Amino acid sequence: MNSKVVCALMIAITILSQLTYAQARFVKNLEGHWKFQKGNISDAHQVDFNDRNWETVTVPHDWAIYGPFNKDVDKQTVAIFQNGEKVATEKTGRTGALPHIGTAWYRKTFSVPEFEKDKKAILLFEGVMSEPEVFLNGHKIGEWKYGYGYFYFDISDKILDGKNILAVKASNKAFASRWYPGAGIYRKVSLIVKNRESIDQWGTFIETPYISEKEAKVTIKTKVTGDQIKLVTTIFDAKGSKVNSNSTTEHFGNEFEQNIKIEHPNLWSPTSPYLYTAVSQVFVDNQLKDEQSTRFGVRSIKFDSKTGFSLNGKVTKFKGVCLHHDLGPLGAAINKAALKRQLTILKDMGCNAIRSSHNMPSLEQLELCDEMGFMFLAESFDEWAKPKVKNGYNRFFEAYAEKDVVNLVQATRNHPCIVMWSSGNEVPDQAGSEGVKRAKYLQDIFHREDPTRPVTVGMDQVKSVMESGFGSILDVPGLNYRVHLYEEAYEKFPQGFILGSETASTISSRGIYKFPVVQGKMTQHDDLQCSSYDLESCNWSNVPDEDFVLQDDKPWVIGEFVWTGFDYLGEPTPYDKKWPSRSSYFGISDLAGLPKDRYYLYRSRWNTTSETLHVLPHWNWNGREGKITPVFVYTNYNSAELFINGKSMGIQKKNTSTPQNRYRLMWMDVKYEPGTLKIVAYDDDGNQKAVKEIITAEKPYRLVLSPDRKTIKADGKDISYVEVSVLDKKGNPCPTATNQLKFKVKGDGIFRAACNGDATSLEMFHKPTMKLFSGKLVVLVQSTKRSGDISLTVTGNGLKPARTQIKTENLTLE
C-alpha cells in the first residue's frame, strides 16, 4: 500500500474517531450516465423531455474530438495580429479543423435521498465549453459565459428529495478561439450537500507567512455560514500523523482566523513536494455540522530586484513550459492519467514550472503539480475588452472579468504549486491608457483575493508597454519573445527583473529533417513539416539557444516558459494557410507525447542529475549518399567525438562563438554513408563518459510495444499509453516507417485512441487504425471498472505483430 493511501486512511480514521453523528457533507461526482445530443433543441430542459434515443456519455466529455477533420469548420479570412500580419488571408486549421462550432445538450438524472430543508446543495462546474446554461427540474438556475471558468450555483431551493433532472446547454460560436477549445462539459461536475451551518464554497485560505528551520506559522482563514459556531482545525503530516490543532469560537463577520504552529516543517519545493493536510470541522453545540480537508504546502516565495525569484530562500530560475488545455487525442476532456503522463515526461526533462496557456487550469492539473513538484503560473485570459477574435472573451469582459478572477483565485489559492497569477496574455489592450487601467484593475482584484502572490501579464507589445507604463505597474513584467528588447526593458521597468513568460516558439516535426541545414524564419516545406534540426522559428520568435544565453548570462532574467511543452490542436503556424495542417509544431514533444529532438536540448540544460546524450538526425538516408548531412549532439557533456563507420570526424567542444555552438555539438560537413554513426562523449578531463550508436536500418520487420504503465486502476478512466515502434530483423529502429497499423483490445479494457504526432494527419484518433509517423505512434488503452487483464494486439501488413498485457486493479483510495 503506497504512502498516499496510508495517509488518507490515517486521516480518515482520526476524523471518524471524533464523529458521533452522521456524515456532515457528501460530494458526489456526477460523471456517469449523461444523455447527450448535438443541436439547438428548444425544450431539452423540460423534465418530461424524451432523451431515450440520445447518446449515453461520461463526463468529462469533448464531443468535437471525434471529428471528422474538415478545413471548412474553421476557415477564416483574417490577419493574425500576434503574427504581425497587416493583410487578411484565408486560414485553415486555426482551431484544429474539428467540428466544435454549434450547440449541444446534456441531461442527467440523479437522486438525493432524504434531502432536508435545513441542508444546503451546491452544483459545481469546473469547465463547460462554452456559454453554459444550466437547468434543474425544468427551471433555469443560472448561466456562465467563460468556457474556462469554474462556477457554482446554490440549488438548495430547487433540488428535490429524490429524483432530479439536470440539463446543460453548451454553445460554441464561430471565431471564438485562436486554438482548439474543445466542446461540451469537458471538466468535472460535482454535487455538494452539506448543512446550512458549514464552510462556504472555496471559503478556506491557507497561508504560511513565517517559516524557519525550527517552525512555521500556518494561518488559516475560514469563511462559514451559521451562528454559535466552533471551528476546530487539525493539521496532519504526509503520513497521516497529527501535527497540531486549534479550536476557536472567535470570528470577524463570517470569517475565522487560526494560527497553528508546525515544528521543524518539511518545505514544499519541486525537488521535495511535501504536502500537509488541514482538516477543518464546524461544530454547533458540540454537534459536527461540517468538515473539509485541504492539502497545502509550507513554502515561501519572494520576487526581489536584487536576487530575482527565490523559493524557500533559495534563488531559483523558472525552467518552465506553456501548456494548452487539450490532451491531444483525448481533446479537451480532462483525464488525470493523461495529465500525469505529460508531467512525468516534463519532469524527466528537468522542467520545474508550468504556465496554463491561455486559460484557467484544471484542478486535477494543480493537484498533480502539488504532488509531483512543479511551480505554476496560473493564467486567466487571452482577451480583455479589445478583441483578438470576433466572438472571444471581449464580449464578457466588463460583466464577468471580476467574477472569473475571484473564482479562479478562491478555487485554487491553497495549491502550493501556484507561485504567480497571470491576468492576461498578449492582450491588444497593452497600448494606451485604457489598457494600463485594466491591468491595474485586474491586478488589484488578484491582490485583494490573494495578497501572497504577484501578478504578471504576457506582453508582446514591448515598445508600447515601455511607453504607456503598462509594464511598470505589474508585479512581474513578463515578456513574450522580443529577446532583442530584454536589455531595454530591464533598464526602463522598475521591478529589477524580467520573466520570459513565453519563449522560443521553435517549430519542428518529430523525426523530420530538412536540407540544407540553415536557420530560418517561417520556413515552409512541400510536405508541410518542419525540420527537427531545431533551427526553424516564426517571424516573431527565435530558436532555444537565444533564450539560453539570457537565462545564463543575465541574473535579472528569472526564467522562462517555453512555447510549448507539447504540440496542441490548432494554430498550425507556419502552415495556417496550408491544408491539411491542423495542429501545432511548437511542442518540445509532439501531440502523442513523444519527445522530439528538442526535448533533449532542454534536458541537457535542465536535468542536472541525469546524463543526456542524444544524436540527430536518424541515419537512414537512401539517396543522400555522399551528400552533406550534418550531425548534432545534445548532451550535458562539453565535448564529444563523432565516428562514421569507425572513422573519426573529429572532436567538437562547446564554445561561445555562436549561441548554437555554446549549447550544441555540431558537425556541419559530414557526408552521409550508410552504416554506423557513433558518438563518444568526454568529460572536461578528456575521459570517455558515454557512447551512443545509430545504425542504418534495413526493411521494417517487427513491431514492438512499450506501455508507460503495465498496471492501471480499474476505475473506467485510467489509461496506459503504449508506444508502438518498428524494428528491422537485427533489432534496429526503423525511423522512416509509415506502415498502416491496426489495434485490437480484449479483456477488461477498451481501445480509447491513437496518435502518431503528425500535424497533417486526417486520421481520426478514436478509430482502431493509424499510420506510423517517423516510425512511431501511441495507442491509448483505457480501463473499465472491472479488475483483470487487458490485451492489446497491433498488426500491420508485412510486419510481425506484437501483443502486450496490462493489468487493471481495484483501488478504493487514490
Side-chain angles (χ1 to χ4, degrees):
M1 191 177 290
N2 64 41
S3 60
K4 209 172 152 188
V5 174
V6 172
C7 172
L9 282 171
M10 292 188 70
I11 292 173
I13 291 167
T14 304
I15 295 169
L16 287 171
S17 68
Q18 301 176 30
L19 303 187
T20 57
Y21 298 91
Q23 185 177 12
R25 72 156 65 191
F26 76 85
V27 179
K28 185 174 184 178
N29 183 358
L30 302 180
E31 59 182 359
H33 306 292
W34 287 80
K35 304 299 285 186
F36 166 77
Q37 181 65 48
K38 287 188 274 187
N40 196 357
I41 306 162
S42 61
D43 57 346
H45 65 288
Q46 299 290 353
V47 172
D48 58 356
F49 180 85
N50 185 358
D51 59 16
R52 187 177 305 165
N53 294 325
W54 286 17
E55 181 182 356
T56 301
V57 301
T58 298
V59 167
H61 178 247
D62 177 0
W63 55 260
I65 193 63
Y66 299 99
F69 293 107
N70 185 336
K71 67 181 290 188
D72 294 325
V73 165
D74 55 5
K75 188 161 61 176
Q76 305 176 23
T77 301
V78 62
I80 301 177
F81 175 80
Q82 290 72 35
N83 295 6
E85 295 178 356
K86 305 294 185 183
V87 179
T89 56
E90 183 178 286
K91 307 291 195 302
T92 56
R94 196 179 182 203
T95 54
L98 289 163
H100 69 278
I101 297 166
T103 297
W105 279 89
Y106 293 82
R107 286 171 56 89
K108 180 174 175 59
T109 301
F110 66 92
S111 295
V112 185
E114 300 179 3
F115 183 79
E116 301 168 1
K117 292 304 179 184
D118 62 343
K119 295 285 187 179
K120 191 171 188 175
I122 300 291
L123 192 59
L124 171 64
F125 292 85
E126 296 179 15
V128 181
M129 192 63 68
S130 57
E131 301 183 42
E133 297 177 53
V134 182
F135 302 83
L136 184 66
N137 300 321
H139 303 285
K140 184 172 181 178
I141 60 171
E143 63 182 28
W144 209 258
K145 296 299 183 184
Y146 194 28
Y148 294 109
Y150 330 117
F151 61 96
Y152 65 91
F153 302 116
D154 186 333
I155 57 172
S156 305
D157 59 346
K158 298 288 193 306
I159 201 165
L160 301 177
D161 178 5
K163 177 181 170 183
N164 291 268
I165 306 294
L166 174 63
V168 180
K169 178 185 178 183
S171 303
N172 278 355
K173 288 183 169 59
F175 314 121
S177 181
R178 298 194 294 123
W179 54 85
Y180 175 69
I185 307 177
Y186 70 102
R187 290 180 181 168
K188 194 164 65 174
V189 182
S190 302
L191 174 68
I192 304 164
V193 177
K194 56 185 180 177
N195 290 305
R196 295 281 176 177
E197 303 93 341
S198 58
I199 299 168
D200 292 355
Q201 182 65 25
W202 304 326
T204 302
F205 183 20
I206 301 179
E207 305 171 61
T208 54
Y210 175 79
I211 299 171
S212 71
E213 190 175 319
K214 292 184 177 180
E215 62 185 14
K217 175 184 178 182
V218 180
T219 298
I220 304 177
K221 297 175 183 177
T222 309
K223 290 186 177 180
V224 299
T225 297
D227 299 319
Q228 306 300 314
I229 285 175
K230 179 173 72 172
L231 182 68
V232 178
T233 299
T234 307
I235 293 177
F236 299 87
D237 65 17
K239 295 180 180 179
S241 300
K242 180 179 175 180
V243 174
N244 206 345
S245 65
N246 177 275
S247 176
T248 183
T249 58
E250 294 184 7
H251 57 90
F252 300 92
N254 71 329
E255 185 174 80
F256 289 84
E257 181 171 325
Q258 296 169 292
N259 293 300
I260 304 176
K261 182 169 72 172
I262 297 178
E263 294 184 349
H264 305 291
N266 292 290
L267 304 188
W268 184 95
S269 73
T271 56
S272 180
Y274 194 93
L275 295 172
Y276 291 90
T277 300
V279 177
S280 301
Q281 296 174 303
V282 172
F283 290 90
V284 176
D285 296 330
N286 292 322
Q287 181 178 358
L288 181 72
K289 290 292 186 177
D290 193 20
E291 64 93 4
Q292 183 172 276
S293 295
T294 307
R295 290 198 310 178
F296 69 98
V298 176
R299 58 108 179 99
S300 66
I301 58 172
K302 183 180 181 182
F303 291 79
D304 183 81
S305 61
K306 295 180 181 178
T307 56
F309 172 70
S310 296
L311 177 68
N312 300 328
K314 181 180 179 181
V315 175
T316 302
K317 291 253 188 178
F318 292 104
K319 300 182 288 186
V321 300
C322 300
L323 293 180
H324 263 309
H325 73 304
D326 82 62
L327 294 169
L330 299 178
I334 278 299
N335 180 280
K336 201 163 184 177
L339 288 167
K340 189 169 185 177
R341 175 178 179 254
Q342 281 193 340
L343 295 176
T344 300
I345 292 167
L346 292 171
K347 197 74 174 177
D348 178 70
M349 189 176 70
C351 174
N352 69 4
I354 306 294
R355 173 190 178 216
S356 61
S357 314
H358 307 290
N359 53 269
M360 298 173 178
S362 70
L363 302 187
E364 291 89 344
Q365 186 179 42
L366 295 176
E367 289 167 4
L368 286 168
C369 287
D370 286 345
E371 296 167 8
M372 298 175 69
F374 288 88
M375 296 179 288
F376 207 94
L377 198 175
E379 195 151 271
S380 48
F381 308 120
D382 190 52
E383 278 188 1
W384 293 349
K386 290 187 176 181
K388 292 181 184 178
V389 291
K390 178 182 176 182
N391 289 317
Y393 189 75
N394 65 89
R395 295 178 294 143
F396 315 123
F397 180 81
E398 295 297 336
Y400 271 84
E402 180 172 7
K403 292 189 284 189
D404 281 320
V405 169
V406 168
N407 284 5
L408 165 65
V409 176
Q410 290 188 0
T412 66
R413 60 191 173 186
N414 294 319
H415 290 278
C417 64
I418 297 179
V419 296
M420 255 186 295
W421 306 108
S422 169
S423 63
N425 169 70
E426 296 182 0
V427 292
D429 315 64
Q430 289 168 79
S433 60
E434 284 302 312
V436 178
K437 293 175 184 176
R438 290 184 188 120
K440 187 176 187 306
Y441 162 71
L442 291 171
Q443 184 165 273
D444 286 347
I445 297 170
F446 277 105
H447 287 169
R448 182 191 73 205
E449 299 299 318
D450 174 19
T452 71
R453 297 177 177 92
V455 181
T456 188
V457 170
M459 300 180 291
D460 62 334
Q461 299 178 39
V462 180
K463 287 287 189 181
S464 294
V465 299
M466 289 182 196
E467 295 168 4
S468 69
F470 186 109
S472 295
I473 68 166
L474 299 174
D475 299 326
V476 177
L479 297 194
N480 287 8
Y481 316 108
R482 313 301 189 264
V483 291
H484 62 289
L485 294 175
Y486 268 51
E487 292 274 5
E488 185 179 353
Y490 171 63
E491 292 298 326
K492 290 191 174 180
F493 292 156
Q495 296 90 341
F497 53 83
I498 297 288
L499 172 69
S501 46
E502 194 168 312
T503 64
S505 271
T506 305
I507 45 180
S508 63
S509 303
R510 178 182 54 79
I512 303 296
Y513 306 91
K514 301 298 182 180
F515 305 96
V517 177
V518 292
Q519 196 164 339
K521 299 272 191 181
M522 301 297 280
T523 306
Q524 297 188 11
H525 306 280
D526 291 342
D527 60 358
L528 309 188
Q529 303 293 350
C530 300
S531 178
S532 201
Y533 275 105
D534 302 323
L535 291 172
E536 295 180 1
S537 58
C538 303
N539 55 18
W540 71 88
S541 65
N542 50 272
V543 295
D545 321 73
E546 296 175 46
D547 289 299
F548 295 168
V549 171
L550 289 166
Q551 307 299 320
D552 290 344
D553 292 356
K554 308 296 182 183
W556 43 266
V557 177
I558 64 173
E560 65 173 320
F561 289 86
V562 182
W563 191 264
T564 51
F566 294 84
D567 282 337
Y568 55 93
L569 293 161
E571 287 196 307
T573 311
Y575 296 113
D576 47 18
K577 300 177 188 177
K578 305 277 189 177
W579 182 255
S581 289
R582 46 71 173 158
S583 61
S584 80
Y585 300 80
F586 297 115
I588 294 172
S589 292
D590 70 15
L591 198 70
L594 296 170
K596 302 179 185 179
D597 293 292
R598 198 162 8 119
Y599 176 91
Y600 299 96
L601 180 59
Y602 284 98
R603 191 180 192 273
S604 69
R605 293 188 69 249
W606 285 359
N607 186 334
T608 58
T609 60
S610 302
E611 177 182 274
T612 299
L613 182 60
H614 179 74
V615 185
L616 63 134
H618 61 70
W619 212 238
N620 270 58
W621 295 105
N622 185 32
R624 285 196 63 81
E625 290 81 2
K627 295 182 180 179
I628 290 180
T629 307
V631 174
F632 287 10
V633 170
Y634 300 155
T635 181
N636 53 326
Y637 297 108
N638 287 322
S639 65
E641 187 171 7
L642 170 64
F643 296 86
I644 304 293
N645 293 327
K647 181 181 177 182
S648 176
M649 300 289 107
I651 295 176
Q652 291 288 340
K653 296 183 178 181
K654 293 177 184 176
N655 61 73
T656 58
S657 60
T658 69
Q660 281 71 49
N661 288 106
R662 184 169 173 178
Y663 300 103
R664 318 182 194 201
L665 299 175
M666 303 182 292
W667 289 259
M668 298 302 295
D669 298 324
V670 175
K671 292 182 179 179
Y672 174 68
E673 60 180 79
T676 302
L677 182 156
K678 178 181 176 182
I679 284 288
V680 179
Y682 302 105
D683 65 17
D684 292 341
D685 295 322
N687 301 308
Q688 179 177 316
K689 299 300 292 184
V691 177
K692 186 77 174 283
E693 285 189 345
I694 300 177
I695 299 172
T696 304
E698 298 176 0
K699 181 181 176 181
Y701 173 68
R702 66 185 178 95
L703 293 163
V704 177
L705 309 185
S706 303
D708 70 332
R709 290 183 299 146
K710 295 283 285 184
T711 302
I712 60 177
K713 294 191 290 291
D715 61 359
K717 295 179 283 190
D718 206 1
I719 293 174
S720 177
Y721 282 75
V722 182
E723 183 178 320
V724 182
S725 53
V726 183
L727 304 182
D728 67 10
K729 272 192 174 182
K730 297 179 181 177
N732 299 308
C734 299
T736 61
T738 58
N739 306 63
Q740 188 79 39
L741 305 183
K742 294 181 179 180
F743 323 116
K744 191 168 186 178
V745 175
K746 291 184 177 180
D748 300 305
I750 61 170
F751 168 78
R752 180 66 177 83
C755 187
N756 61 13
D758 179 2
T760 69
S761 172
L762 300 183
E763 294 183 280
M764 294 314 306
F765 303 122
H766 65 288
K767 301 286 188 182
T769 180
M770 186 168 283
K771 272 188 175 182
L772 291 160
F773 178 66
S774 295
K776 291 188 177 187
L777 58 75
V778 169
V779 177
L780 286 65
V781 177
Q782 184 170 304
S783 68
T784 64
K785 292 189 176 181
R786 300 185 305 271
S787 61
D789 295 312
I790 307 172
S791 172
L792 167 66
T793 302
V794 182
T795 58
N797 289 339
L799 296 172
K800 189 176 178 181
R803 183 171 172 266
T804 190
Q805 290 282 121
I806 298 164
K807 287 188 174 295
T808 68
E809 295 181 349
N810 284 315
L811 295 174
T812 55
L813 287 172
E814 292 189 3

